[in-house]
DNA sequence: TTGTACGCGTTATCAC
DNA sequence: GTGATAACGCGTACAA
């Protein structure tokens, strides 16, 4: 019978206590680190635990202590690399904090809503939510729980929850500054989808950065289309073929790294040197960007930091108790600019 | 005190029982679906549970019943899209089976070994392991547990565990058959990294498929290099520029979709029609493949099926009890060929 | 410092 | 079919 449905490793704290010849309380204290002394008793306990291949039953632990050392992550089913990086970053942050990670991926806002509700039924210290593209503020409505909920990324504010996101404006300003510091006096921008508020925000910030830094651009140098390699290739051919040095931009910023790779190939065909004559920057980083020729200078969201910040906010919410007043408190909003990963498609800095 | 560390939603089964005026046993039976009748009692219970926003405490449930409805997934920190798709597929399969998913991402075999050990301490119905690239068979040694462990993908067999993986040979044979059925009499193959056993297996299967189908190839048409766009571009230029129709292959198979996109761009430059004069297939599918011009015919691992199969094997292992004899049993090996996603870079089938 | 005993919320068992 | 009660494994207040 024991073997028919026995999960776990049959051994329990009682077995360890018996083998080490101490009480279960002592075992509990030693293994949870609440007994700091490293004397004979502690060693005996650890030895017994090791010999029996014992590990605490987290279900019992969570039930008893109301602390599960588990966080949950709810996110949409995007096939982009960004999503994969988020999972990795959150997983690493959880590991660092000695926490387990519960993951739920859902395609629709309704499914995500149900998911979050389910997470609340589990012994979870906090929930990180990456809202579906079209999810509105109602995503977490009607969910009454003491479990802290943190919004990570997403373009619409869930309100009432703390929110960790990317500063798109500051990011593109950093990109422009990067190429200007390296000698560019004119810049082109190949954007994909301005439909989303993120895209529009980025385009706006691009233009205001140019004003601020007194950099030249041209209506023909700002194009909006899909983010493919071929689009970068054809836009570049149109923009650069058969033009003099004063008729072409000295830098190209692309919102997609595929587009930027198309730009590189086209410039190669036109025998225009990168980064000597034209610098290229991608606002998105991935494996292809790192392995292109020349390797693409790209921007990357500091996801490790953002994941760690999310966990910090969760821990904070736990410590402060549920709410100060009546839950009317609005969430904090922490924004991180993207980092510049300098590679070979932009010049050496003058400051070096 | 209750509010200072209270996880969960304060309400428990007792509250529901009181409000519905039944015993806690009945509540448990109704909500777990073990009481099929849908009479007044059942409705009262469900209504009370809904009003109190009650959801079962899974920690208590797991503790008592030894069934946690939770599976764990351990995988390496690859930044490839494939990894992201695996996570999505396993997550979906888990949702379908009404299971929670515990995720652990680790960069080294040692870390992954520790991770699996940790998972065993949790109330988990099964563990799916996607071994690190360089992990050997020792990955799960010294881990004594009743929890079923299933290997998913990976190139070295963990032995003793059931293994769900991709049939590389059958996959490339399907790719060759696909273009041959559509009229190609000669095929080129642009491979990346033959270092891995997967790559070598694929190359071998490519060559034997050609023999089998009496298709022509050429030493110069089989190249091995990185998987970048530019490599596809330059290889194609070298292979096609200035040659007659009988000196070029009628189909190109690429192991990377980036390489295939480079091939498309180069053929476009050379005014060679795709798929009219040359068909192109990528053994790897992603967003870029779908949005290129023409859209790339690609192959995709049937990850949904593979994830579902993994869950089935876990359920099976549970039902059969731990082991038949002494754990000396070797795991089953289930292989799935990749699916062909027919798009515009190959012709219409003659059979249609 | 160590051990005893209780209780966390749920499901399984048994009597009705 | 329903209800009372024991038990799951652990953490901790309290007694020693």
């Amino acid at each position: 019978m024991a073997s028919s449905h026995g999960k776990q490793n049959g051994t329990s704290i009682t077995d360890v206590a018996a083998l080490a010849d101490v009480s279960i309380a002592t075992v509990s204290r030693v293994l949870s680190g609440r007994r700091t002394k490293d004397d004979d008793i502690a060693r005996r306990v650890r030895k017994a635990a090791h010999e029996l291949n014992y590990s605490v039953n987290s279900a019992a632990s969570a039930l008893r202590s109301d602390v599960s050392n588990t966080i949950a992550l709810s996110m949409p089913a995007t096939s982009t690399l960004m999503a994969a990086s988020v999972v990795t970053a959150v997983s690493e942050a959880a590991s660092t904090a000695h926490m387990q990670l519960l993951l739920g991926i859902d395609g629709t806002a309704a499914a995500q809503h149900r998911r979050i509700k389910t997470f609340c039924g589990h012994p979870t210290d906090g929930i990180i939510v990456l809202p579906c593209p079209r999810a509105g503020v109602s995503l977490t409505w009607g969910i009454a729980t003491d479990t802290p909920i943190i919004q990570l990324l997403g373009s619409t504010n869930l309100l009432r929850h703390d929110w960790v996101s990317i500063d798109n404006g500051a990011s593109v300003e950093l990109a422009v500054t990067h190429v200007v510091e390296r000698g560019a006096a004119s810049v082109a921008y190949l954007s994909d989808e301005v439909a989303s508020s993120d895209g529009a925000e980025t385009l706006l910030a691009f233009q205001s950065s140019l004003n601020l830094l007194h950099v030249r651009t041209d209506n023909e140098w700002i194009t909006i289309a899909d983010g493919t390699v071929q689009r970068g290739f054809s836009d570049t051919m149109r923009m650069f073929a058969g033009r003099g040095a004063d008729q072409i931009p000295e830098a190209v910023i692309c919102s997609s790294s595929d587009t930027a790779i198309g730009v590189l190939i086209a410039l190669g065909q036109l025998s225009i040197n990168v980064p000597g004559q034209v610098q290229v920057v991608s606002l998105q980083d991935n494996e292809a960007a790192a392995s292109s020729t020349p390797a693409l200078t790209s921007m990357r969201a500091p996801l490790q930091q953002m994941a760690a910040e999310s966990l910090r906010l969760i821990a904070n919410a736990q410590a402060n108790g549920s709410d100060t007043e009546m839950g009317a408190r609005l969430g904090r909003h922490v924004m991180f600019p993207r980092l510049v990963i300098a590679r070979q498609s932009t010049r050496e800095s003058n400051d070096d």
Side-chain angles (χ1 to χ4, degrees), chain A:
Chain A
M1 171 122 208
S3 74
S4 81
H5 69 299
K7 293 283 76 44
Q8 298 287 110
N9 194 336
T11 63
S12 94
I13 198 173
T14 316
D15 306 316
V16 179
L19 183 57
D21 197 29
V22 292
S23 73
I24 60 166
T26 304
V27 174
S28 174
R29 287 191 270 252
V30 168
L31 295 182
S32 67
R34 224 166 317 111
R35 181 187 185 281
T36 47
K37 223 196 284 184
D38 188 17
D39 55 2
D40 185 54
I41 290 182
R43 262 169 309 203
R44 250 164 43 213
V45 170
R46 270 190 276 270
K47 180 157 170 278
H50 184 77
E51 279 180 14
L52 294 174
N53 208 336
Y54 168 81
S55 60
V56 300
N57 180 322
S58 64
S61 172
L63 177 60
R64 177 64 189 136
S65 65
D66 265 15
V67 171
S68 57
N69 284 323
T70 297
I71 62 163
L73 171 63
S74 165
M75 56 185 298
T78 51
S79 59
T80 62
L81 212 51
M82 179 74 170
S85 309
V86 168
V87 176
T88 304
V90 172
S91 168
E92 275 177 13
S95 295
T96 304
H98 298 287
M99 291 199 163
Q100 297 298 313
L101 176 63
L102 217 48
L103 177 70
I105 297 181
D106 298 286
T108 69
Q112 191 171 25
H113 181 88
R114 279 194 301 273
R115 173 79 61 179
I116 295 169
K117 242 176 155 166
T118 306
F119 278 155
C120 289
H122 280 250
T124 293
D125 293 342
I127 303 175
I128 299 178
V129 174
L130 221 144
C132 278
R134 267 176 285 267
V137 286
S138 63
L139 189 62
T140 58
W141 283 2
I143 296 182
T145 176
D146 290 347
T147 311
I149 296 180
I150 307 285
Q151 177 183 357
L152 178 60
L153 300 173
S155 43
T156 61
N157 188 344
L158 248 42
L159 304 172
R160 292 199 41 191
H161 304 290
D162 292 335
W163 183 17
V164 179
S165 71
I166 292 177
D167 191 333
N168 287 304
S171 300
V172 73
E173 192 172 325
L174 278 174
V176 172
T177 305
H178 182 84
V179 292
V180 168
E181 276 180 350
R182 284 156 178 77
S186 55
V187 186
Y189 180 44
L190 274 52
S191 162
D192 50 349
E193 56 134 359
V194 177
S196 78
S197 63
D198 283 4
E201 183 189 350
T202 306
L203 179 55
L204 228 63
F206 171 75
Q207 289 166 322
S208 78
S209 307
L210 295 194
N211 286 334
L212 204 69
L213 297 166
H214 304 294
V215 176
R216 193 163 67 87
T217 189
D218 188 292
N219 276 340
E220 290 184 11
W221 296 352
I222 300 182
T223 67
I224 298 164
D226 59 63
T228 61
V229 178
Q230 284 147 325
R231 176 271 179 107
F233 186 86
S234 55
D235 271 11
T236 303
M237 284 298 190
R238 195 177 327 109
M239 209 178 288
F240 285 84
R243 308 255 174 135
D246 57 335
Q247 290 175 314
I248 60 174
E250 297 173 21
V252 180
I253 296 179
C254 303
S255 52
S256 139
S257 69
D258 277 355
T259 305
I261 286 173
V263 172
L264 289 185
I265 295 178
L267 292 177
Q269 281 294 101
L270 297 171
S271 297
I272 296 177
N273 179 264
V274 176
Q277 294 168 269
V278 176
Q279 303 183 64
V280 180
V281 174
S282 161
L283 296 186
Q284 172 200 15
D285 188 46
N286 59 27
E287 215 179 331
S291 64
S292 69
T293 315
L296 265 174
T297 292
S298 313
M299 302 203 76
R300 175 164 61 198
L303 291 175
Q304 290 77 10
Q305 285 180 52
M306 297 173 74
E309 174 70 9
S310 302
L311 288 198
R312 210 185 57 74
L313 289 170
I314 286 173
N316 234 278
Q318 283 184 302
N320 291 352
S322 37
D323 276 335
T324 44
E325 290 289 316
M326 254 290 290
R329 178 180 72 77
L330 259 65
R332 283 157 290 184
H333 187 179
V334 188
M335 305 215 313
F336 291 80
R338 289 193 172 84
L339 308 172
V340 176
I341 315 290
R343 296 208 184 90
Q344 299 149 14
S345 67
T346 54
R347 301 186 205 155
E348 298 289 315
S349 169
N350 294 330
D351 304 342
D352 290 349

